[in-house]
Amino acid sequence: MGEIADLVRLGRVDLPPRYNIAPTQEAPVVVGYEGRGSLSRMRWGLVPHWARDAEGAAKLINARSETAAEKPAFRNAFRLRRCLVIADGWFEWQTLGRAKLPWRVCAARGEGLLTFAGLHESWRHPPPPGMGAVDADRLDTFTILTTEAAPGLEWLHLRMPCVIHRHDRLAWLDPATPPARLHEMLLPADAADFQTYRVTPRMNSPRFEHPIAIEPLNEPDLFTG
């Protein structure tokens, strides 16, 4: 967790291990705060501040980086509320005929923290009659920006998360960073920075939270827990 500690300027960061974070679940993100990062937990699936309800959150788990700055659901967050989503890999499904095979993508040699470009919003439930908005419950949510797959990864999926390099992380969080610089950070990464391997299809269930979810698949998968 040393990279996170450096980013948020803390001596220690404790994050319980997660192996299978699914949309609408909470995940750790870093937001900008007074020239540094601040660690927070938010729900995956952005709810725009103007939304009448939170039902559409599951539809906004990703945003296309090429158009997010103009789309009504994302443009204010793109300008003012950018975040970094902390991960050490992600899952993709390869389609082969009628079969769908799950793969994990992580840093080359399986080492290093990944930070995905994200946008975040705070939304409040409409208060009951007679209750002021200040008393309404707040929901903090985020979405992950995606870009074209790096050359060499298109066989797995045509899109991938926008990975913000270590030296760009604070600039991504800074509201003063020029738009042209932001778009440079969102270009496809180098495929050589990643490795891929098959994983168990059990990870398709959001309730499957076990280390085997991120381990290379052994045929046959004998896990029965």
Side-chain angles (χ1 to χ4, degrees):
M1 297 297 179
E3 290 183 60
I4 304 175
D6 290 343
L7 182 61
V8 301
R9 296 184 183 177
L10 293 175
R12 182 179 179 183
V13 173
D14 291 318
L15 288 175
R18 290 294 310 276
Y19 304 101
N20 190 21
I21 297 177
T24 73
Q25 294 181 353
E26 285 193 345
V29 301
V30 174
V31 300
Y33 178 74
E34 297 183 351
R36 61 180 176 86
S38 177
L39 189 63
S40 183
R41 289 185 179 278
M42 298 184 184
R43 198 173 82 173
W44 185 11
L46 187 136
V47 180
H49 68 88
W50 42 259
R52 287 190 292 181
D53 57 54
E55 295 303 315
K59 299 179 181 179
L60 298 180
I61 61 173
N62 292 329
R64 295 178 68 92
S65 61
E66 299 90 341
T67 59
E70 290 80 39
K71 292 288 186 179
F74 307 120
R75 61 190 176 197
N76 286 337
F78 189 92
R79 184 167 60 93
L80 298 171
R81 291 178 292 278
R82 297 184 294 274
C83 63
L84 295 167
V85 183
I86 300 168
D88 59 6
W90 74 93
F91 298 116
E92 292 289 5
W93 290 84
Q94 180 190 22
T95 301
L96 291 177
R98 295 184 179 180
K100 289 185 178 292
L101 308 177
W103 292 72
R104 184 170 185 256
V105 187
C106 62
R109 297 172 300 279
E111 300 174 357
L113 175 74
L114 298 178
T115 45
F116 302 147
L119 310 175
H120 70 98
E121 284 276 15
S122 292
W123 178 84
R124 291 185 182 277
H125 296 273
M131 180 180 292
V134 70
D135 299 315
D137 293 333
R138 190 178 80 176
L139 178 65
D140 294 322
T141 62
F142 72 91
T143 190
I144 295 174
L145 291 169
T146 67
T147 186
E148 295 181 356
L153 288 179
E154 311 99 320
W155 62 271
L156 182 55
H157 199 281
L158 295 179
R159 306 286 295 179
M160 67 179 289
C162 295
V163 178
I164 301 297
H165 294 291
R166 184 170 186 166
H167 60 272
D168 287 330
R169 289 169 181 166
L170 287 178
W172 173 255
L173 297 176
D174 188 349
T177 300
R181 179 73 185 98
L182 296 174
H183 287 287
E184 289 177 359
M185 300 180 198
L186 300 176
L187 295 175
D190 189 336
D193 293 338
F194 306 100
Q195 65 169 323
T196 61
Y197 57 85
R198 287 271 310 279
V199 293
T200 175
R202 297 171 188 268
M203 50 69 56
N204 188 44
S205 169
R207 296 184 296 274
F208 187 72
E209 182 70 34
H210 190 279
I212 199 175
I214 64 172
E215 294 176 1
L217 179 67
N218 292 317
E219 296 283 4
D221 177 7
L222 299 177
F223 180 77
T224 58

